[in-house]
Amino acid sequence: MGADSGRGASAGRAGQLIGTRIAGYEVESELGRGGMAVVYRARDLRLQRTVALKLLTEEYMVRNDTFRRRFAREQRMAAALDHPHIVPIYEAGEADGVLYIAMRYVPGLDLRALLDRDGPLPVPTALRIAAQVASALDAAHEHDLVHRDVKPGNVLVAQGTDSDHPEHVYLTDFGLTKKSLSLTGLTSVGEFVGTLDYVAPEQIAGRPVDGRCDLYSFACVVYETLAGRPPFRRDDPLELLWAHQYDTPPALSERCPGTAAAMDDVLNRALAKAPEDRYGSCLQFVAALRIAARSGAAQGGGPVVHAPTRLDHAGTGAPPDPPVWARPVFVGPPGH
């Protein structure tokens, strides 16, 4: 099935795709699936390398020409992002009626699997991961791209280079990005885009979105890495949407005893209902959170340290100078 067989392929027929070829990629195994796509490990037969091959589900492939045109345009924009913490896109297109994206294959766990396995992360680990995701999001926002689906499953955690950098984090799945400001949290056919545990109030209301929408979702993810659960949990989806729009998030210090109380104020600002009340960038948010954690530790009030994860290997000696992209996190936001 695929380009070599002349027959159409569908992500909805996932079980039939193993061993087949699509646009020059041989499908080897399934890596994961969501509401819009299935991701496979595949072999690039031209360059003889392993890739992650994302195939959009059949309903998005066949029913909406507007979506298909927007998909091609936005993948070109996402592929232009060159950042150490954004998964590189090698190719995107259509073959035999299949919309596909070929990306770098990143071995390791995603943040969802890591949290499910180990529970809440140690504060230093959570902040290291957050800083890398923040830098990726800010880079996208500088290009007027809004991710709109920031969640643990879209954060890949690979082994780092040494004990001072024990994990290397990638943000992935820019397949739902849109140009900021002029577009809402809905697709052109009125469907909601985003994951309910992490969705920003303006997305729910269908208002125009920009990078501050991602900041809210990112703050929900950071909250979960520290507390073990996102800020809002409700049994009913409508109640969850209501909570994002109107309820005050529970204090992190209450859910995670020993955490610096100053971190509550930082998270409350990042989770503000109105976008203009949030931080100006994701790195500013992480910088403020780092300062709050340090101030709490200096006062003897935290932060609490959980059992280390298998990706957290503390180094010894003086830490190295941070890379350029991370310096705002360590020196603090402007004017602080």
Side-chain angles (χ1 to χ4, degrees), residues 131-155:
Q132 296 177 60
V133 177
S135 69
L137 286 170
D138 283 353
H141 299 159
E142 288 174 1
H143 288 78
D144 285 336
L145 286 174
V146 184
H147 191 284
R148 297 195 308 150
D149 195 22
V150 181
K151 60 184 179 181
N154 284 335
V155 177

Side-chain angles (χ1 to χ4, degrees), residues 290-307:
R290 185 182 296 275
I291 291 169
R294 286 176 175 171
S295 67
Q299 296 169 10
V304 66
V305 177
H306 304 281

Side-chain angles (χ1 to χ4, degrees), residues 12-197:
R13 300 191 295 272
Q16 303 176 29
L17 291 182
I18 307 301
T20 62
R21 296 180 181 182
I22 298 173
Y25 300 96
E26 184 171 309
V27 178
E28 296 180 340
S29 61
E30 182 177 321
L31 296 175
R33 60 176 57 229
M36 290 189 66
V38 183
V39 181
Y40 297 93
R41 175 179 168 138
R43 188 71 176 169
D44 183 340
L45 299 175
R46 292 160 292 189
L47 298 178
Q48 294 300 307
R49 63 181 173 184
T50 299
V51 303
L53 186 66
K54 176 178 178 180
L55 306 181
L56 271 69
T57 53
E58 190 171 67
E59 60 176 321
Y60 287 95
M61 289 189 289
V62 301
R63 73 178 183 181
N64 192 326
D65 289 339
T66 300
F67 180 89
R68 298 163 81 93
R69 290 192 296 270
R70 197 187 77 203
F71 168 84
R73 181 178 66 253
E74 293 178 357
Q75 290 310 312
R76 286 195 297 271
M77 292 188 295
L81 293 175
D82 183 12
H83 191 275
H85 297 292
I86 294 176
V87 173
I89 295 176
Y90 297 142
E91 183 183 14
E94 182 175 348
D96 290 343
V98 177
L99 294 175
Y100 69 90
I101 309 169
M103 302 169 285
R104 173 181 291 174
Y105 172 70
V106 179
L109 299 174
D110 62 42
L111 187 56
R112 172 76 280 142
L114 181 62
L115 292 172
D116 289 344
R117 187 191 72 184
D118 295 345
L121 302 180
V123 172
T125 303
L127 290 176
R128 283 197 308 269
I129 290 173
Q132 296 177 60
V133 177
S135 69
L137 286 170
D138 283 353
H141 299 159
E142 288 174 1
H143 288 78
D144 285 336
L145 286 174
V146 184
H147 191 284
R148 297 195 308 150
D149 195 22
V150 181
K151 60 184 179 181
N154 284 335
V155 177
L156 307 181
V157 185
Q159 286 288 349
T161 55
D162 53 47
S163 60
D164 292 318
H165 308 89
E167 55 281 302
H168 188 97
V169 175
Y170 294 92
L171 181 64
T172 188
D173 201 2
F174 276 85
L176 299 178
T177 58
K178 278 190 174 183
K179 278 286 187 179
S180 65
L181 297 175
S182 61
L183 296 170
T184 71
L186 303 177
T187 68
S188 59
V189 290
E191 294 176 327
F192 184 77
V193 173
T195 303
L196 296 191
D197 281 336

